[in-house]
Structures are given as C-alpha cells and as structure tokens.
Amino acid sequence: MSDFLSAVVESWPLFFEAAGRTLALSAVALLLGLPLGALVAAASMSRVRPLRWFATAYIGLVRGTPLITQIFILYFGLTIVLLLPGFWAASIALAFHNSAYIAEILRSGFQSVPVGLDEASRSLGMSWWQTLRRVRGPLAFRTALPSLGNQFIIAVKDSSLAAFVTVDELFQVALRATASSYEPLTYYIIVALYYLAIVLILTLVVNRLEHALSKHRRS
Amino acid sequence: MSAIVSMQQVTKRFGPLTVLDAVDLEVQQGEVVVLIGPSGAGKSTLLRCVNGLEGIDGGTITVDGQQLVQKGRELNSLRRRIGMVFQQFNLFPHLRVIDNITMAQRDVLGRSREEAEARARELLARVGLSEKEHAYPERLSGGQQQRVAIARALAMDPVLMLFDEPTSALDPELVGEVLQVMRDLAEEGMTMVVVTHEMRFARQVADRVVLMADGGIAEQGTPEQVLEHPTSERGRAFLAELGGQG
C-alpha cells in the first residue's frame, strides 16, 4: 500500500499535467460538438427533406463507426492533404463523434416540448426565433441536460483514445509509466482514479445546473 | 358597430377531410359570440384559423381591418392583438406567473420591465391572483392556471379574445371561477369568441350563439332563439342530445 501511495505522489506532476490535456481535449470536443450537434439536430427537425436526409446519414455514419477509426482517419488518413497534430486530430474526431449523440439528445429534448406551448407563445405575437429563445430552447435544454451530462462524461473517458495518436494525455502517461516500471496494476489504477475524479467533478457541476434549472418543479 | 372578425367562405381541410366548408362569420366589436355544437363540428378549428394557428385552404379572414396572412411578420403583429386562451392553459412551466405575463409584453410590445410588471400586477389583481405572482404554474390549480392564462393574453391589450374550451380540462368545482372572469370581461365590452360546452354561460353571456355542425354553421341567433327554439334539424338533434344539461 505504501508503495502505491508513493507511486501516486511521485507520478503526480506527470499526471497532473496530463489531466490538463485530457480536460483540454474534452473541452474542445464539447465546445465544437455542442454547436455542431445543435446544427445537426436542427437539420433533423427541418421541414426541408434533404436536410433531414443529411442529418440521418450524418448521425448514422458517425455513430456507426468506432471513434478510434475516426481519430486514425483524421491523424493518419489525411496526411496527403493535411497534417493534423495529434491533439487536433483527436479533439476534432471527438467533436464529430459526440455531435452525433448530442444531436439525438437535443432533438428528443425539443420533441418533448408540448406543441401547445409553442402555440401559446406564437399566439402572443412572439416570432419563431423569440419562441425558440424563450420557450422551446430553455425547456428542451432542461429536458436534455441529464443526457447531455451523461454524454459529457463519456466524452471525457473517450478522450483516452488520443493516447494512440501521441497526445500526452492521462492514458498516454499511464502507458509510458507502465512501460518503464513494469507495474501495470499500479499505474492503470492511478490513471483510473484521475478519470474518476474528473468525472465526479463534472457530475457535480451538471447536478448543480440541473438543480438550478428545475426550480419550477419544486415549491 | 364595426366588424372585428370577418370570415368569408373559409375552407379548411385536413387531408381528405373538409373540416370547415365555406364558412361565413362576422363578429362585431364588443360582441360575445359563443360557438357550440357536437365534437368534430369544426368549432375549435374555426377559432384556431382566426389567429392563424391553422392555415386555411380557401376564403379570407380579416381581423381588426387587416387580412390574415399565413405566416411572417404581419401574422405576428396581428396575433399580438388577438388573445388566445387554450383548453390546456399552456402556461410556460419554466417561468413564474409574473414572467409568464411579462415575457411577450417585453419581447413583442417592447415594454420596459417596470411597465410590464405593473400591467401584470394590475391583471393579476383583476383575476384575483395577486398573491401568486412568484409561484410557478405547477403549483397552481387548473382554475388558477387558466386565470393566469387569461391575464397573460389580456396583457397584450388585445382587440379580440378567443377561448378554446377554456373550462373543459377543469375539475367541476373550478369551472365557476374561470367563467366569472370571462363574464367580467364580457361586461367590460371585450369582443370575445368562445368555444364551450357550458350552456349556462352561453345563455347568460352570449350576444349570439352560433351552432356548428359538419364544418358549417347550422344556425345562429340570440341564445334564446338557438338554445330554446332551434329551427334546424342539426340544432334540434344537438340540443336534444344535451338533454337539458344546461
């Protein structure tokens, strides 16, 4: 046990820095993935049929192929046209990958808003945009938030695949520490604890937000 | 008297079904028109056509001197002059009562927060719900929610109020408080079109009762004429079915 603790303490600087990179990967993935997912969700609910086709194809394609494949296509596959650094190949692939799931989450959020509320808003003279901003958007977001939080957690853990395109994130550091120490159990448990800590903090933030946005369901 | 609503040859189809068949109807300023008739007669559809919630397939609708178009800014500007009250209340669940009433005042009419809130409080007092200002809709009874919905519509200073079965979703003991608010509104001279099954309300408050059947107007006249001495076969059949419920 004391060996384990000293390994934790000694590896701290390396893992700490790597945790920052894991967070950066996840942040880029979500900051790009959210708006992209919103666009795809909008396309999937559009009245324009080709847009709906596009959304269906996009979601099918992105969800239907492994994330590691998508990362490798961006990192190794595009070298003839474009040399992406590992960080960007991984984070952009993560963004695409998550956008497909986020699109489905947002679509079901919007579909959960009763038509009557849209009608009530439009009957007050509110425009389509005003209704989206004031009524449909906020209500859809409230419904989608738990699933979005779930997806964010998956994104953080999936960012570990960036290790395979040379990014010095948490899992990469664990791989290297294992290779040099021949103590896989120690370092894989340590890295698991780092992921766990990040996910717990993220869960806390999402729960807080959920609580703040559900005032209307409490007295 | 001038017409607030003028419908000419209005036709509405849902697929192969003709829901409104060349309907003509005028509503004068200050008039309270109650639409009755069997379900499926087209009452609610007719009401929803008046503020463009349903598009029409033929004919014209003019409200407050402006012809109704099917979409766009002109439709929005006309809608804010037409108050609509729904069977299911449709209050915005994520907003407190006061914000339900101020949102469109601020976004659509450009009123300041102070102005909008002052108007909202005035209306809440009028429907007897001043103390519920900060409550969320979920905490209110159905009757209270419907009164807030009426206040929300009135806050836009409409020239016309449409009521689509406003008491049909309410427990019987809560119907009275909503009808009372509507009665007060009628007495103040508001132009109203009401779809309802409340025959007593029709008898006491309506200036004119319009009996619809099969997507058309079977007959219309004063409450006494239509409810006591119907001349059309459809009218007699409908009222016989009600069996003196009113």
Side-chain angles (χ1 to χ4, degrees):
Chain A
M1 192 64 192
S2 69
D3 286 352
F4 180 76
L5 286 180
S6 63
V8 169
V9 173
E10 274 163 31
S11 64
W12 159 259
L14 274 178
F15 276 115
F16 185 73
E17 205 194 330
R21 209 154 288 125
T22 288
L23 287 176
L25 278 167
S26 313
V28 172
L30 296 178
L31 287 178
L32 291 178
L34 262 177
L36 191 58
L39 280 179
V40 176
S44 75
M45 292 181 288
S46 165
R47 264 188 233 160
V48 184
R49 201 173 294 169
L51 282 178
R52 291 204 303 272
W53 290 338
F54 164 78
T56 307
Y58 178 90
I59 292 169
L61 191 71
V62 173
R63 278 203 312 196
T65 51
L67 175 57
I68 189 75
T69 314
Q70 295 163 0
I71 295 175
F72 277 23
I73 287 175
L74 288 191
Y75 186 69
F76 297 113
L78 293 185
T79 42
I80 343 153
V81 274
L82 171 76
L83 275 177
L84 275 177
F87 179 87
W88 290 105
S91 55
I92 291 171
L94 267 171
F96 276 117
H97 194 74
N98 280 285
S99 70
Y101 292 93
I102 289 171
E104 287 289 83
I105 293 168
L106 292 178
R107 184 178 57 81
S108 72
F110 273 101
Q111 285 174 344
S112 76
V113 178
V115 177
L117 297 183
D118 183 52
E119 292 184 347
S121 177
R122 302 305 302 275
S123 294
L124 290 164
M126 303 270 288
S127 70
W128 188 89
W129 272 110
Q130 286 171 324
T131 301
L132 180 69
R133 213 178 66 232
R134 296 288 204 179
V135 179
R136 293 175 57 223
L139 287 169
F141 184 70
R142 279 164 171 77
T143 308
L145 191 56
S147 307
L148 280 178
N150 212 18
Q151 190 58 38
F152 293 173
I153 288 170
I154 293 172
V156 168
K157 293 185 297 177
D158 278 356
S159 72
S160 57
L161 291 175
F164 300 103
V165 290
T166 75
V167 182
D168 287 334
E169 48 69 70
L170 280 172
F171 197 65
Q172 170 78 289
V173 168
L175 285 174
R176 267 199 255 118
T178 304
S180 59
S181 68
Y182 302 108
E183 287 181 51
L185 185 61
T186 306
Y187 288 102
Y188 290 142
I189 287 181
I190 290 176
V191 80
L193 292 175
Y194 277 92
Y195 280 111
L196 191 60
I198 294 176
V199 167
L200 284 178
I201 292 168
L202 187 59
T203 307
L204 212 69
V205 171
V206 171
N207 285 351
R208 272 282 172 83
L209 194 57
E210 237 185 286
H211 188 73
L213 290 179
S214 62
K215 272 191 214 129
H216 59 290
R217 299 224 178 86
R218 287 170 278 134
S219 53
Chain B
M1 288 223 289
S2 60
I4 292 284
V5 182
S6 172
M7 305 180 89
Q8 271 152 9
Q9 297 292 300
V10 170
T11 298
K12 170 71 185 174
R13 295 186 199 92
F14 288 125
L17 193 71
T18 301
V19 191
L20 295 176
D21 191 4
V23 174
D24 291 313
L25 181 69
E26 287 215 336
V27 180
Q28 304 300 321
Q29 183 157 16
E31 197 179 16
V32 177
V33 173
V34 170
L35 302 180
I36 61 170
S39 58
K43 310 179 297 286
S44 287
T45 305
L46 184 134
L47 203 68
R48 290 163 59 85
C49 286
V50 174
N51 79 342
L53 283 179
E54 303 286 354
I56 56 177
D57 299 301
T60 57
I61 302 176
T62 308
V63 180
D64 199 21
Q66 192 181 331
Q67 187 172 334
L68 195 79
V69 291
Q70 298 298 329
K71 55 169 107 202
R73 222 172 268 173
E74 270 178 71
L75 177 59
N76 293 340
S77 85
L78 190 53
R79 272 176 172 159
R80 72 186 183 206
R81 286 181 276 153
I82 306 172
M84 178 87 174
V85 176
F86 299 86
Q87 181 176 353
Q88 298 296 339
F89 331 132
N90 293 342
L91 293 182
F92 307 121
H94 58 306
L95 300 179
R96 294 173 194 275
V97 162
I98 185 107
D99 300 322
N100 260 278
I101 305 176
T102 57
M103 181 183 77
Q105 288 189 68
R106 298 177 63 194
D107 282 12
V108 178
L109 301 179
R111 287 180 185 158
S112 70
R113 176 189 285 275
E114 294 70 34
E115 263 179 295
E117 287 186 350
R119 179 83 176 113
R121 292 200 177 97
E122 188 185 307
L123 288 163
L124 280 174
R126 196 156 131 195
V127 299
L129 289 171
S130 293
E131 78 283 8
K132 298 294 184 188
E133 181 181 326
H134 296 297
Y136 282 100
E138 188 168 274
R139 309 299 300 177
L140 304 182
S141 73
Q144 290 171 332
Q145 288 192 47
Q146 195 61 297
R147 286 186 279 153
V148 172
I150 293 172
R152 177 176 71 178
L154 290 174
M156 304 300 284
D157 300 323
V159 297
L160 165 71
M161 286 286 284
L162 307 175
F163 293 85
D164 188 5
E165 302 202 26
T167 58
S168 298
L170 295 175
D171 290 337
E173 74 271 21
L174 301 176
V175 169
E177 62 191 62
V178 171
L179 291 182
Q180 189 54 48
V181 168
M182 292 169 63
R183 211 170 266 139
D184 293 345
L185 204 54
E187 261 164 38
E188 287 161 28
M190 176 61 75
T191 311
M192 295 163 57
V193 182
V194 184
V195 173
T196 188
H197 297 294
E198 296 290 331
M199 291 304 144
R200 191 183 305 166
F201 178 83
R203 200 167 287 138
Q204 292 172 350
V205 184
D207 296 309
R208 178 154 51 109
V209 172
V210 174
L211 197 153
M212 291 188 68
D214 299 327
I217 294 175
E219 68 178 281
Q220 54 179 316
T222 64
E224 213 213 335
Q225 281 168 357
V226 178
L227 299 175
E228 312 298 338
H229 313 290
T231 53
S232 69
E233 210 162 295
R234 300 300 312 239
R236 275 198 290 265
F238 174 66
L239 291 160
E241 225 161 88
L242 284 181
Q245 269 174 33

